[in-house]
């Protein structure tokens, strides 16, 4: 990035740090410089002890329980160098990839000391998300699965080649794959799966002198990965999902490869972090404090994987750890509509700890619910999951599949709750869980987690609406991360959410790609669910920073008999302001102008959205300068959609009313 932008970002970053964190960062910088000179690094990996315990925590797969042909076909494509990486549906990485190259831009990062490499600078590394993704080695697990199901040595030979090339190209501490402890943690998790699926210590993968040499070098790198993580945990304002992922990687490494004396100490350290952070990083009602649904999935995967690996090998977790996992699953089940859609709240980067499934239409959220149904004996979660998917089958085994079928056939109790006050989400609903449901989720939560709120969006008092499983009002998603600044800022800005923007400003102030400065604080004033109507009322103070302060109050009422949602926005101020109400419609919606608003149709569902005080009514679709009218369902992909803007110039305290009347469903 340009020098001026670097200085501005550094200043903003320092502004949200405590004194203790500034000292911590200074020590980390000094530590990195010493490590670059060889101080405090692994000089010689101790030889592993004979594998007398541990190692196997993944159930042995029953070949007839999986469609082996699908895994074999996917594995052959991977070994030929072709597999999807984000928006690259068929990325050409080559049979033996250049592991330090970003496949999107073609830029190869320099093989310099990793901790001093600026991975945020695309001129040096390209798009770091695209570079890191293949190096997480989720795809190598697919190759190992194909071997486990077919016994075909072709896949084992392919694994050996992939691992050998990575170890040669990514030497200890050098290059972009030795910069982030989270990336090392995820790689260890997937290496652990590959190790077990390939047969462990005695695998034919390690036959002969070449195989023994590969095992030696792989185990050396595993030890170095673990040593790196334990010395470089994300702390202070960065201690978010990264810390949980790092601890999970280290914990699973010590479970899978308990071959060194230090593993006991590292395991206790990682276990303690997981137990503490599982509670710290999630609200008591199960909402992850990152305030991002995608990260809810990401963190859940880490917590569940650690629980399964530990339980299989005799390491217990306290009841509070299991309880928070169950609450997190309940929240996902509550905000999922009858067709399986979830609001795309907060950041999303298609990040997964593991993949495991090759099923068409695989849904990571339903998969977690299926796993959770068995773990916690919950028919209601099984009903939401609908099927016992391959990922759950790999993790839990064939007996778990039978248990799921029993749970799925058991009458489920009432659905999960509709109030998540700690996390700040309120679900107004009618006929929930049926084909006629009306589901309106209101966001009254914090911006994000810790002082940087890295993955939050400026979406206070926004709402999403789904009718009969058809999305009407949506959160448009994320699209960009480290690159494409204008798009990054648009998708997380107030104008990309179904709420009110004042004077063209975001509710909270952006300080960097993963950094917020002044943060809007939202407060719920009233929550009254009822048989005839559900009522939410709240406010946020994001625009109190203006020279003429504005307090935004929003009331949302679902009239269940009239099947109408009335949104009342009150702007408390003294002077003149430009007020924009945004309504972002799902990309599948057909939109036509109507008196004072629009008619929206998605399949059989028709909704009239109107306001008598709409002022100037503007429809935007697929506009780029400035960005408006887009939906991003996955990282680095976006499609045009219709965004409705209602523009008013107000003087003094003003109330604006919007009505959404459901005409058919």
């Amino acid at each position: 990035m340009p020098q001026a932008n670097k200085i501005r970002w550094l200043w903003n970053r320092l502004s949200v740090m405590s004194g203790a964190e500034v000292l911590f960062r200074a020590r980390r910088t000094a530590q990195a410089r010493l490590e670059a000179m060889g101080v405090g690094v692994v000089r010689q990996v101790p030889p592993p002890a004979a594998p007398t315990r541990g190692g196997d925590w993944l159930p042995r797969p029953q070949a007839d329980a999986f469609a082996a042909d699908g895994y074999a076909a996917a594995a052959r494509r991977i070994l030929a160098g072709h597999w999807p990486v984000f928006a690259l549906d068929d990325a050409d990485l080559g049979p033996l990839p250049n592991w330090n190259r970003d496949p999107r831009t073609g830029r190869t990062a320099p093989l310099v000391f990793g901790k001093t490499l600026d991975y945020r600078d695309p001129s040096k590394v390209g798009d770091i998300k695209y570079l890191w993704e293949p190096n997480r080695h989720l795809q190598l697990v697919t190759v190992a699965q194909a071997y486990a199901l077919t016994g075909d040595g072709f896949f084992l030979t392919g694994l050996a080649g992939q691992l050998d090339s990575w170890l040669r190209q990514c030497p200890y501490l050098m290059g972009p794959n030795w910069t982030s402890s989270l990336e090392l943690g995820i790689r260890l998790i997937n290496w652990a799966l590959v190790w077990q699926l390939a047969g462990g210590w005695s695998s034919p993968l390690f036959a002969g002198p070449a195989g023994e040499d590969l095992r030696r070098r792989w185990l050396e790198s595993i030890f170095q990965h673990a040593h790196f993580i334990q010395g470089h945990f994300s702390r202070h304002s960065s201690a978010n999902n990264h810390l949980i992922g790092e601890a999970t990687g280290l914990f699973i490494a010590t479970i899978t490869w308990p071959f060194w004396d230090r593993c006991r100490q590292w395991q206790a350290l990682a276990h303690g972090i997981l137990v503490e952070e599982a509670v710290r990083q999630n609200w008591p009602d199960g909402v992850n404090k990152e305030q991002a649904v995608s990260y809810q999935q990401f963190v859940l995967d880490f917590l569940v994987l650690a629980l399964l690996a530990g339980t299989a090998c005799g390491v217990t977790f306290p009841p509070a750890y299991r309880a928070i996992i169950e609450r997190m699953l309940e929240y996902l089940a509550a905000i999922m509509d009858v067709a399986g859609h979830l609001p795309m709240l907060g950041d999303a980067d298609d990040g997964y700890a593991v993949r495991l499934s090759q099923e068409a239409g695989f849904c990571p959220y339903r998969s977690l619910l299926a796993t959770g149904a068995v773990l916690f004996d919950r028919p209601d979660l099984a009903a939401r999951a609908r099927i016992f998917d391959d990922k759950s089958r790999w993790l839990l085994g064939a007996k778990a599949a039978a248990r799921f079928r029993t749970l799925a056939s058991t009458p489920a109790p009432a659905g999960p709750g509709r109030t998540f006050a700690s996390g700040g989400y309120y679900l107004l609903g009618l006929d929930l869980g049926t084909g006629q449901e009306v589901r309106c989720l209101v966001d009254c939560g914090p911006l994000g987690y810790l002082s940087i709120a890295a993955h939050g969006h400026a979406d206070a008092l926004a709402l999403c609406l789904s009718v009969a499983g058809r999305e009407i009002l949506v959160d448009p998603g994320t699209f960009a991360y480290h690159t494409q600044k204008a798009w990054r800022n648009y998708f997380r800005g107030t104008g990309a959410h179904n709420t009110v923007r004042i004077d063209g400003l975001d509710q909270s102030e952006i300080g960097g790609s993963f950094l917020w400065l002044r943060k809007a604080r939202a407060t719920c004033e009233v929550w009254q669910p009822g048989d005839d109507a559900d009522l939410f009322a709240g406010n946020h103070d994001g625009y109190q920073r203006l020279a003429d302060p504005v307090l935004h109050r929003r009331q949302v009422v679902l009239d269940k008999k009239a099947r109408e949602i009335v949104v009342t926005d009150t702007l408390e101020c003294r002077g003149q302001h430009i007020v924009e109400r945004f309504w972002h419609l799902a990309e599948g919606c057909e939109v036509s102008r109507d008196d004072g608003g629009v008619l929206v149709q998605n399949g059989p569902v028709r909704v009239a959205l109107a306001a008598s005080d709409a002022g100037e009514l503007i429809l935007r679709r697929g506009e780029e300068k400035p960005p408006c009218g887009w939906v991003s369902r996955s990282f680095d992909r976006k499609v045009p959609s219709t965004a409705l803007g209602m523009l008013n110039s107000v003087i003094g305290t003003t109330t604006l009313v919007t009505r959404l009347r459901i005409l058919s469903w």
Side-chain angles (χ1 to χ4, degrees):
M1 65 177 73
Q3 189 64 24
N5 290 344
K6 274 188 178 180
I7 293 172
R8 188 181 303 111
W9 175 85
L10 181 59
W11 176 259
N12 288 340
R13 189 68 179 85
L14 286 168
S15 72
V16 298
M17 292 185 190
S18 65
E21 181 171 3
V22 172
L23 290 174
F24 171 80
R25 300 289 177 190
R27 287 196 297 268
R28 275 283 173 91
T29 300
Q31 177 188 357
R33 290 174 178 169
L34 289 171
E35 289 174 348
M37 295 185 289
V39 179
V41 302
V42 177
R43 293 186 176 274
Q44 186 173 0
V45 175
T52 57
R53 62 184 178 84
D56 293 329
W57 52 268
L58 196 66
R60 292 187 180 278
Q62 293 185 358
D64 60 356
F66 301 93
D69 288 349
Y71 289 89
R76 290 184 187 278
R77 289 193 297 273
I78 290 165
L79 294 178
H82 295 272
W83 69 88
V85 182
F86 301 130
L88 301 176
D89 289 321
D90 187 26
D92 185 3
L93 290 97
L96 295 178
N98 178 346
W99 296 105
N100 296 302
R101 175 180 174 271
D102 159 25
R104 184 174 184 271
T105 66
R107 185 175 296 277
T108 297
L111 205 62
V112 298
F113 185 71
K115 294 302 291 184
T116 58
L117 176 63
D118 185 1
Y119 62 81
R120 298 178 182 88
D121 188 344
S123 69
K124 293 180 180 178
V125 302
D127 189 326
I128 193 63
K129 280 288 297 173
Y130 275 89
L131 191 155
W132 275 342
E133 184 66 18
N135 287 278
R136 291 181 169 186
H137 286 180
L138 279 71
Q139 75 280 1
L140 295 194
V141 176
T142 303
V143 179
Q145 288 173 299
Y147 168 72
L149 294 176
T150 68
D152 189 337
F154 169 80
F155 300 117
L156 216 55
T157 301
L159 273 177
Q162 296 273 308
L163 289 167
D164 175 75
S165 69
W166 193 93
L167 295 170
R168 292 183 187 280
Q169 293 180 38
C170 306
Y172 177 48
L173 298 180
M174 305 301 288
N177 292 307
W178 290 92
T179 59
S180 165
S181 291
L182 175 62
E183 299 305 312
L184 273 69
I186 295 174
R187 192 155 52 244
L188 281 177
I189 292 169
N190 285 283
W191 279 0
L193 294 170
V194 171
W195 176 272
Q196 294 171 89
L197 290 165
W201 182 281
S202 301
S203 169
L205 182 67
F206 308 127
E212 291 178 1
D213 181 64
L214 175 63
R215 180 174 59 195
R216 176 188 61 78
R217 289 186 294 122
W218 193 14
L219 287 172
E220 284 181 353
S221 188
I222 288 164
F223 184 92
Q224 291 163 343
H225 274 64
H227 185 275
F228 184 104
I229 293 171
Q230 63 84 34
H232 298 90
F233 283 117
S234 296
R235 297 295 191 184
H236 293 280
S237 60
S238 296
N240 53 15
N241 67 86
H242 282 229
L243 180 55
I244 288 178
E246 293 155 7
T248 302
L250 181 59
F251 179 76
I252 284 180
T254 64
I255 290 285
T256 308
W257 303 285
F259 304 151
W260 301 278
D261 290 340
R262 294 192 202 182
C263 285
R264 295 186 183 89
Q265 175 188 346
W266 292 345
Q267 185 176 113
L269 173 63
H271 182 270
I273 291 172
L274 285 168
V275 168
E276 184 174 342
E277 294 299 321
V279 175
R280 175 178 290 165
Q281 293 194 34
N282 295 287
W283 295 107
D285 55 20
V287 177
N288 181 256
K289 292 181 180 179
E290 299 263 29
Q291 309 296 138
V293 171
S294 180
Y295 282 89
Q296 183 100 7
Q297 170 269 141
F298 197 46
V299 168
L300 259 172
D301 245 4
F302 288 132
L303 298 180
V304 169
L305 287 165
L307 176 65
L308 294 175
T311 301
C313 296
V315 181
T316 59
F317 284 84
Y321 182 91
R322 294 177 60 91
I324 201 63
I325 292 175
E326 191 171 4
R327 298 291 90 76
M328 293 175 75
L329 292 166
E330 288 175 352
Y331 169 64
L332 284 182
I335 64 173
M336 178 183 288
D337 77 10
V338 69
H341 303 114
L342 289 101
M344 296 184 289
L345 305 171
D347 267 350
D349 70 342
D350 293 4
Y352 302 105
V354 296
R355 185 163 290 121
L356 290 174
S357 172
Q358 291 297 317
E359 297 159 298
F362 170 79
C363 174
Y365 301 98
R366 287 196 188 277
S367 176
L368 280 166
L369 296 178
T371 298
V374 174
L375 286 178
F376 299 105
D377 210 32
R378 293 283 296 265
D380 58 331
L381 298 184
R384 275 287 198 231
R386 295 187 180 177
I387 64 168
F388 195 73
D389 61 290
D390 272 9
K391 179 187 168 193
S392 299
R393 190 173 286 105
W394 283 103
L395 290 175
L396 300 179
K399 290 183 179 179
R403 179 59 189 151
F404 179 87
R405 288 193 294 272
T406 300
L407 290 167
S409 63
T410 302
R418 297 193 286 130
T419 307
F420 299 88
S422 300
Y425 298 102
Y426 299 84
L427 180 62
L428 293 77
L430 170 63
D431 296 330
L432 293 175
T434 74
Q436 295 79 43
E437 72 171 13
V438 176
R439 181 179 292 268
C440 179
L441 185 71
V442 179
D443 182 345
C444 191
L447 176 65
Y449 185 50
L450 300 176
S451 63
I452 60 175
H455 296 297
H457 287 189
D459 55 3
L461 305 186
L463 57 87
C464 296
L465 174 64
S466 169
V467 179
R470 300 278 183 162
E471 291 179 294
I472 303 299
L473 296 176
V474 298
D475 184 311
T478 300
F479 180 64
Y481 254 35
H482 295 88
T483 60
Q484 305 180 83
K485 180 180 177 181
W487 290 104
R488 171 71 175 147
N489 289 347
Y490 166 69
F491 273 97
R492 63 189 181 134
T494 300
H497 297 89
N498 301 313
T499 186
V500 171
R501 185 169 70 180
I502 306 295
D503 297 338
L505 300 173
D506 291 324
Q507 300 162 343
S508 299
E509 293 186 71
I510 292 173
S513 293
F514 300 94
L515 170 63
W516 292 90
L517 301 176
R518 294 184 185 178
K519 305 171 185 68
R521 292 173 297 181
T523 303
C524 176
E525 299 171 341
V526 180
W527 170 240
Q528 292 179 350
D531 293 336
D532 297 326
D534 292 340
L535 165 65
F536 164 86
N539 70 72
H540 78 81
D541 65 357
Y543 294 114
Q544 291 284 287
R545 71 184 191 268
L546 302 183
D548 176 53
V550 180
L551 181 69
H552 176 205
R553 296 185 185 277
R554 169 166 277 190
Q555 176 181 280
V556 184
V557 177
L558 168 60
D559 184 329
K560 299 183 181 182
K561 291 183 178 178
R563 297 184 77 89
E564 182 177 62
I565 297 170
V566 180
V567 182
T568 304
D569 292 301
T570 301
L571 296 315
E572 297 182 0
C573 57
R574 293 178 179 271
Q576 183 171 2
H577 297 276
I578 300 299
V579 177
E580 297 167 281
R581 283 170 286 171
F582 289 101
W583 309 103
H584 295 271
L585 303 168
E587 64 273 35
C589 291
E590 298 177 8
V591 183
S592 58
R593 286 184 178 268
D594 191 34
D595 185 27
V598 296
L599 284 175
V600 181
Q601 183 160 358
N602 190 344
V605 175
R606 293 171 63 243
V607 177
L609 192 161
S612 58
D613 49 22
E616 184 180 0
L617 192 150
I618 305 169
L619 290 176
R620 295 187 174 95
R621 183 177 179 86
E623 297 185 7
E624 298 195 1
K625 293 183 179 181
C628 191
W630 298 91
V631 167
S632 175
R633 296 283 175 181
S634 56
F635 182 73
D636 202 28
R637 297 178 189 264
K638 65 183 188 299
V639 297
S641 65
T642 300
L644 171 63
M646 296 175 175
L647 181 66
N648 296 80
S649 178
V650 305
I651 300 176
T653 297
T654 303
T655 296
L656 303 170
V657 180
T658 309
R659 296 179 181 274
L660 295 99
R661 188 159 50 94
I662 301 167
L663 305 176
S664 63
W665 55 92

